[in-house]
Amino acid sequence: RKNTKRVPSFRKLLRTSQIKLDNKLKNKQYKQKSAAKKYRKEQKKLREAVRDAISRKPFPLEEPKKKQVAGKWEEKEEEDALPLDMMDEDDLKLMEDLAQKASFLTRDLSSNEPVHIKKRKHESVIEKYEKVPRRLQTEPEKELIHLLPIKDKSGIIPQAVEKPVLDVAHDEEEDAEEMEEEEDFNEEPLPVLTPEEMAAQRRQKLQERKMHIAALASAILSEPDSNMKKLKELRSMLMEQDPNVAVIVRKLVMVSLMEIFKDIAPSYKIRPLTEAEKATKVKKETQKLREFEEGLVSQYKFYLENLEQTIKDWKQRKLKKSNVISLKAYKGLAEVAVKCLCELLVALPHFNFHNNIIVLIVPLMNDPSKMISELCVEAVKKLFKQDKLGYASLGVVKVISGLVRGRNYDVRPEVLKVFLHLRIKEVELQKDSEDIAPKKKFMTYKEKRKNLSRMQRKWKKAEEKLERELLEAEASESKEKKLKLHTETLNIVFVTYFRILKKAQKSPLLPAVLEGLAKFAHLINVEFFDDLLIVLHSLIASGDLSYRESLHCILSAFHILSGQGDVLNIDPMKFYTHLYKTLFSLHAGGTNEDIGIVLQCLDVMFAKRRKQVSQQRALAFLKRLSILALHVLPNSSVGILATNRLFMQTFPKMDLLLDNESQGSGVYLPELDEPEHCNAQNTALWELHLLQRHYHPTVQKFASHLIAGAPTEGSGALPLDLSQRSAAELFETYCIKGMSFNPPVASVTPRRKDTFSQMDSFVDDELKKQLQEHTSETVAHKPLDFAKHLKESSLV
């Protein structure tokens, strides 16, 4: 028989992993040990058999062919037997009866006569006992091992070798002895390592694991389609059992696998093959691609399950018996697992199991741990910002809506604030109206017959076929599909907002809801405008809101009215009054972020609704904003003065406040909260003269510009970098959050104190000469007599 097993080539050996070679070596050593152990047992059995054969001589059974030998044995038996007169008659009769029967011992073994073992009715105990076959000490049973037969001229000769049956009990005894020897060996004390040696050993183990992880990762990235086994091997290292390096190794493997999947995952979703597709024959390249995709999806699934299990174990404070990691270390593992899931959520929104990752991440946004909650919130924000199609955003919004409703609105406000980062603001209904309009349909058969000739119908048919193929081959998502996804997403967002406004008005989620309504109010359906404005006004009138929440209510109301709400005949005077009253409640310190909301409100209320605003109202707001500019930080002052500039350029007769003379009857009432009745036309903007002396140069420029009447040209005009920016942009530009002054203050070189030199220190030469004489002479210290001078002064 020809040996078909080939020696592996050097190239194949190079591709073989180190673990496989180690396993082969271990199997070989184990086989050698088993063979040696078996050989020792056989030798021991052989020695015992020889020893037993020497100690006792076995008596052969009857051999009927050798009658002479049998006669000798009979004589010896007669000599050894008891005399008959010493036996009773009954016993003698019994023995004679037994002698007539053919027993196992007296029977001729060479004869082929059957042994009659017929039961009788009256059998005695002795007869039953005699019928039981004796168990003689014989040689161990032999087991035949069949070998290859030999063929010669006569024919085929079968070959076999006897194999003695091993004694199981004896084997167990030997195994027990060996175990005792091993225990004795293990009981020997291990060498005690010093802390330095233990640290060095740990560093060495960790370095080996790192090198192994790096080798596997580089091999997978170089040829991912042919290294699925190495990917599986790397994933198996997530179950590292060495307690010294288990935590670090698992973290490294988690991060490495995350980066590998981000690199090798295709840009499409892999679907499972149907039975028909599996049955069809395909090319080798296609089959290889299918195997790679199937292996990638399965390994990715197992990896996500491992991450999920790590997070669940940490959340449930669950420690497995076989685990080598403490509960304290599980928190670090869970944080790394959450980071990996967040990265995959953002990097692979198109790949398999993305919805499963969303279901894992969204509940963690409400986690008590601040770090984990912030990680998940930031990941969802990034996903919203980069999602151009809208599929991923829709999935996240659905899960968040279900979470808020399932927790009975008891979630953190940050969970709802992520809605503000949706890219739905890019959809403008006016621009998309052309896309929403029904497209022109292809001509019907009757229309073609009626209007076109035969040749024209032929060309028209080919043209329509080409257009259909182009539509099918178009890779980009149509605006119609985008609009549909965005509409569905917004419906879920508004349903969540309206539920909170209706059922949980005192919830901490209300500021986030109002902020969201202020952003997306222009996209709300016109049917809800009346009810929504009534709800917003009732919230403001209740007095339960903080001034920041009331500002969001005002901004939401005016966003509604400035968009599709132009067709509504609603007077929002109550919202103007509330904003006028709220201006002096704003924070003037470092947390002046609410000024940005006020600037947005003023832009919507005055710039976009200039025709609906009276002159008295505009003058009152201009005066109160100028007063506010004296008390806030520089960036807020710049933003407010930019708004005042807009007032003076938008509304006529605003320069009344630049004159000292009063206009009309009445006195200005600054404490009155009604902008229409405070007589603002009878005051002046004296605050601008104080702002001209402000320490911030930009505030000085704006104050001088407003005193000159806010001209667009000439010496009093602002530079372009200030005049072309909106108030909100200027507020953000001159922000001092980073504790840096904008524009930077010019550095002044400090005056250095000149050190006095020994030469040319004095201008007066006489003083210099006297000092030198005094320092050169040795002065004797004499006691001072104060009494003498006191007497002289008393006499005087």
Side-chain angles (χ1 to χ4, degrees):
R1 183 178 178 183
K2 188 179 178 180
N3 186 11
T4 56
K5 189 173 181 181
R6 295 181 181 178
V7 179
S9 63
F10 180 70
R11 189 180 298 276
K12 189 173 182 182
L13 286 174
L14 281 178
R15 289 200 300 266
T16 309
S17 66
Q18 187 62 32
I19 291 181
K20 192 171 182 182
L21 293 174
D22 293 344
N23 291 340
K24 283 185 178 181
L25 182 61
K26 287 178 184 177
N27 290 338
K28 187 176 180 181
Q29 291 174 354
Y30 177 74
K31 286 180 181 179
Q32 289 175 355
K33 287 180 182 178
S34 300
K37 183 178 177 182
K38 188 176 178 182
Y39 178 74
R40 287 197 301 272
K41 286 183 180 181
E42 289 178 356
Q43 292 296 323
K44 193 171 182 180
K45 283 282 185 184
L46 186 59
R47 287 196 298 273
E48 287 180 359
V50 172
R51 199 182 301 120
D52 291 342
I54 294 171
S55 62
R56 64 171 182 269
K57 206 172 183 180
F59 292 97
L61 296 174
E62 273 187 342
E63 294 184 6
K65 293 182 181 179
K66 299 180 180 179
K67 293 182 181 180
Q68 297 177 358
V69 178
K72 290 179 182 178
W73 282 108
E74 285 174 5
E75 291 175 2
K76 287 184 181 181
E77 286 176 1
E78 286 176 2
E79 291 175 1
D80 295 338
L82 293 173
L84 296 177
D85 55 358
M86 293 178 66
M87 299 178 66
D88 295 336
E89 292 182 359
D90 296 334
D91 294 338
L92 183 61
K93 189 175 180 182
L94 183 60
M95 293 298 292
E96 288 176 355
D97 294 335
L98 288 173
Q100 293 176 2
K101 295 176 182 177
S103 67
F104 177 73
L105 292 175
T106 58
R107 184 168 63 88
D108 186 3
L109 293 177
S110 61
S111 63
N112 294 327
E113 295 175 0
V115 180
H116 302 284
I117 316 173
K118 188 178 180 182
K119 291 187 178 181
R120 297 179 183 176
K121 291 182 181 180
H122 305 288
E123 279 186 337
S124 61
V125 179
I126 298 173
E127 290 178 354
K128 289 181 180 179
Y129 178 76
E130 285 294 333
K131 288 180 180 179
V132 176
R134 270 66 168 172
R135 292 185 179 180
L136 300 179
Q137 252 190 346
T138 57
E139 296 179 3
E141 298 178 4
K142 305 292 183 180
E143 183 182 351
L144 292 178
I145 300 175
H146 297 281
L147 304 177
L148 292 174
I150 298 172
K151 185 176 181 182
D152 59 356
K153 294 179 180 179
S154 59
I156 295 172
I157 304 171
Q159 298 290 320
V161 175
E162 293 181 354
K163 178 182 178 182
V165 180
L166 299 176
D167 191 359
V168 179
H170 193 65
D171 289 348
E172 290 177 356
E173 290 175 4
E174 278 197 358
D175 291 340
E177 290 175 3
E178 289 179 0
M179 290 293 291
E180 289 175 2
E181 290 176 1
E182 289 178 1
E183 287 176 1
D184 295 340
F185 179 73
N186 291 334
E187 285 174 1
E188 294 179 5
L190 296 171
V192 180
L193 299 176
T194 61
E196 292 81 5
E197 292 175 348
M198 291 176 68
Q201 187 179 10
R202 181 178 177 276
R203 282 196 298 271
Q204 184 182 358
K205 285 182 181 178
L206 192 58
Q207 188 63 25
E208 290 175 359
R209 300 292 197 284
K210 285 181 180 178
M211 293 299 293
H212 189 47
I213 292 170
L216 290 173
S218 59
I220 293 165
L221 291 175
S222 60
E223 293 183 3
D225 51 348
S226 59
N227 283 318
M228 279 295 108
K229 290 183 179 179
K230 291 188 178 181
L231 183 62
K232 184 179 180 181
E233 182 183 345
L234 183 60
R235 189 183 57 79
S236 66
M237 292 181 72
L238 284 171
M239 297 294 111
E240 177 66 43
Q241 296 298 322
D242 192 344
N244 292 328
V245 295
V247 179
I248 298 178
V249 169
R250 292 188 184 188
K251 288 181 181 179
L252 291 172
V253 173
M254 283 181 187
V255 177
S256 302
L257 283 170
M258 180 262 294
E259 294 293 339
I260 287 171
F261 283 122
K262 281 168 63 177
D263 285 341
I264 68 174
S267 59
Y268 53 88
K269 189 174 182 179
I270 300 172
R271 62 173 181 81
L273 297 174
T274 60
E275 295 296 330
E277 289 174 341
K278 290 178 181 178
T280 56
K281 291 183 179 180
V282 292
K283 295 180 181 179
K284 288 184 179 180
E285 291 81 5
T286 309
Q287 184 64 27
K288 189 177 181 181
L289 180 62
R290 285 182 177 180
E291 291 174 358
F292 164 68
E293 290 177 346
E294 186 178 355
L296 178 64
V297 170
S298 64
Q299 294 303 319
Y300 187 58
K301 178 185 176 185
F302 292 143
Y303 171 62
L304 293 178
E305 287 175 351
N306 286 333
L307 296 181
E308 180 186 10
Q309 192 60 44
T310 302
I311 297 170
K312 281 184 178 178
D313 291 345
W314 170 67
K315 295 289 286 182
Q316 298 171 0
R317 304 294 188 270
K318 186 178 177 183
L319 191 63
K320 298 177 183 178
K321 294 180 180 178
S322 61
N323 215 329
V324 294
I325 298 176
S326 62
L327 281 173
K328 191 178 290 185
Y330 244 105
K331 184 180 180 182
L333 272 179
E335 288 176 356
V336 176
V338 171
K339 285 180 183 177
C340 294
L341 285 171
C342 292
E343 286 286 334
L344 294 173
L345 177 75
V346 177
L348 302 176
H350 57 276
F351 198 55
N352 299 52
F353 309 114
H354 190 256
N355 290 334
N356 303 70
I357 299 175
I358 291 172
V359 173
L360 278 175
I361 290 294
V362 168
L364 293 175
M365 293 166 65
N366 195 39
D367 195 80
S369 175
K370 188 176 180 182
M371 180 181 177
I372 289 179
S373 175
E374 288 178 354
L375 278 173
C376 299
V377 168
E378 289 300 320
V380 173
K381 287 180 182 177
K382 285 182 185 176
L383 181 66
F384 284 163
K385 287 178 182 177
Q386 73 177 23
D387 185 24
K388 296 179 180 178
L389 305 180
Y391 289 108
S393 301
L394 179 61
V396 174
V397 168
K398 282 181 178 178
V399 179
I400 291 176
S401 177
L403 176 71
V404 172
R405 191 177 181 185
R407 297 282 178 91
N408 198 16
Y409 313 104
D410 185 17
V411 296
R412 300 177 64 180
E414 288 79 5
V415 178
L416 280 184
K417 284 184 179 178
V418 297
F419 287 161
L420 300 175
H421 297 270
L422 287 166
R423 292 187 65 172
I424 300 176
K425 62 183 179 181
E426 297 178 358
V427 177
E428 296 179 6
L429 298 178
Q430 294 178 355
K431 288 184 179 179
D432 291 332
S433 59
E434 297 176 0
D435 298 328
I436 299 169
K439 296 179 181 179
K440 187 179 179 181
K441 295 182 179 180
F442 296 114
M443 293 178 69
T444 60
Y445 180 73
K446 288 184 178 179
E447 289 175 351
K448 289 177 184 177
R449 288 292 299 268
K450 187 176 181 181
N451 301 323
L452 302 176
S453 64
R454 184 175 179 184
M455 186 59 68
Q456 287 175 336
R457 287 200 301 269
K458 190 174 181 181
W459 279 102
K460 191 70 176 175
K461 185 177 180 182
E463 186 181 346
E464 290 178 357
K465 184 180 179 183
L466 181 61
E467 286 180 4
R468 287 194 184 95
E469 289 177 356
L470 288 174
L471 287 174
E472 290 175 1
E474 188 178 9
S476 61
E477 295 291 330
S478 63
K479 289 186 178 180
E480 186 179 352
K481 188 177 288 186
K482 271 189 192 178
L483 186 63
K484 187 177 179 181
L485 287 170
H486 288 172
T487 306
E488 188 177 353
T489 306
L490 263 184
N491 286 340
I492 298 171
V493 171
F494 285 137
V495 164
T496 307
Y497 285 164
F498 294 158
R499 278 178 185 158
I500 295 171
L501 285 175
K502 184 178 179 182
K503 298 181 181 179
Q505 290 188 356
K506 295 185 179 180
S507 169
L509 299 176
L510 190 60
V513 171
L514 295 173
E515 197 172 349
L517 285 174
K519 181 169 184 178
F520 301 117
H522 61 286
L523 299 172
I524 301 176
N525 197 344
V526 183
E527 298 173 359
F528 301 108
F529 281 1
D530 289 335
D531 297 333
L532 193 55
L533 287 172
I534 292 170
V535 170
L536 292 176
H537 179 61
S538 64
L539 285 172
I540 293 173
S542 65
D544 297 332
L545 303 181
S546 65
Y547 72 89
R548 183 183 176 86
E549 294 169 4
S550 61
L551 287 176
H552 283 303
C553 282
I554 296 168
L555 188 59
S556 303
F558 279 97
H559 270 305
I560 291 170
L561 295 174
S562 62
Q564 303 175 55
D566 288 338
V567 297
L568 300 177
N569 189 14
I570 298 174
D571 184 19
M573 182 58 200
K574 47 196 172 184
F575 294 107
Y576 282 98
T577 305
H578 187 76
L579 179 62
Y580 186 77
K581 184 169 50 177
T582 310
L583 285 178
F584 284 162
S585 303
L586 297 175
H587 200 292
T591 56
N592 62 342
E593 298 175 358
D594 302 327
I595 300 288
I597 306 173
V598 171
L599 296 176
Q600 292 179 35
C601 290
L602 292 170
D603 182 49
V604 178
M605 294 164 69
F606 290 93
K608 296 180 180 178
R609 294 176 59 86
R610 63 189 72 180
K611 294 181 181 179
Q612 288 90 356
V613 179
S614 64
Q615 181 182 345
Q616 292 292 330
R617 195 181 304 174
L619 289 169
F621 270 94
L622 180 60
K623 176 62 179 176
R624 182 159 283 200
L625 287 172
S626 300
I627 297 171
L628 182 64
L630 290 171
H631 304 284
V632 291
L633 291 178
N635 61 328
S636 303
S637 297
V638 171
I640 290 171
L641 292 176
T643 305
N644 287 352
R645 175 177 175 267
L646 183 67
F647 272 68
M648 297 182 75
Q649 290 179 348
T650 304
F651 298 97
K653 299 182 181 181
M654 288 292 107
D655 53 353
L656 292 175
L657 300 180
L658 299 177
D659 294 335
N660 292 331
E661 298 177 1
S662 61
Q663 302 289 330
S665 61
V667 180
Y668 174 60
L669 303 173
E671 71 280 358
L672 189 66
D673 291 332
E674 292 293 335
E676 297 283 350
H677 309 290
C678 66
N679 300 323
Q681 74 276 4
N682 293 326
T683 185
L685 294 178
W686 55 265
E687 296 88 3
L688 296 177
H689 290 280
L690 291 176
L691 291 171
Q692 267 187 317
R693 301 171 187 173
H694 199 277
Y695 65 89
H696 199 284
T698 310
V699 177
Q700 295 176 11
K701 289 179 183 177
F702 266 99
S704 303
H705 174 69
L706 292 176
I707 287 176
T712 56
E713 296 177 354
S715 59
L718 285 175
L720 288 176
D721 60 334
L722 296 177
S723 60
Q724 292 182 352
R725 291 186 184 179
S726 65
E729 289 178 0
L730 290 168
F731 172 74
E732 292 294 333
T733 303
Y734 292 98
C735 183
I736 56 173
K737 280 184 180 178
M739 300 303 292
S740 60
F741 194 75
N742 187 10
V745 181
S747 61
V748 180
T749 55
R751 296 178 181 177
R752 297 180 181 178
K753 294 180 180 180
D754 297 330
T755 57
F756 290 101
S757 60
Q758 294 182 0
M759 300 299 292
D760 301 329
S761 297
F762 300 98
V763 178
D764 193 356
D765 294 334
E766 293 181 4
L767 178 62
K768 181 180 179 183
K769 190 175 181 180
Q770 289 178 7
L771 286 172
Q772 286 177 354
E773 289 176 359
H774 182 73
T775 53
S776 60
E777 295 177 0
T778 56
V779 182
H781 295 283
K782 298 178 182 179
L784 299 174
D785 189 3
F786 294 101
K788 178 182 176 183
H789 296 285
L790 287 172
K791 289 177 183 179
E792 291 177 355
S793 62
S794 62
L795 290 173
V796 174

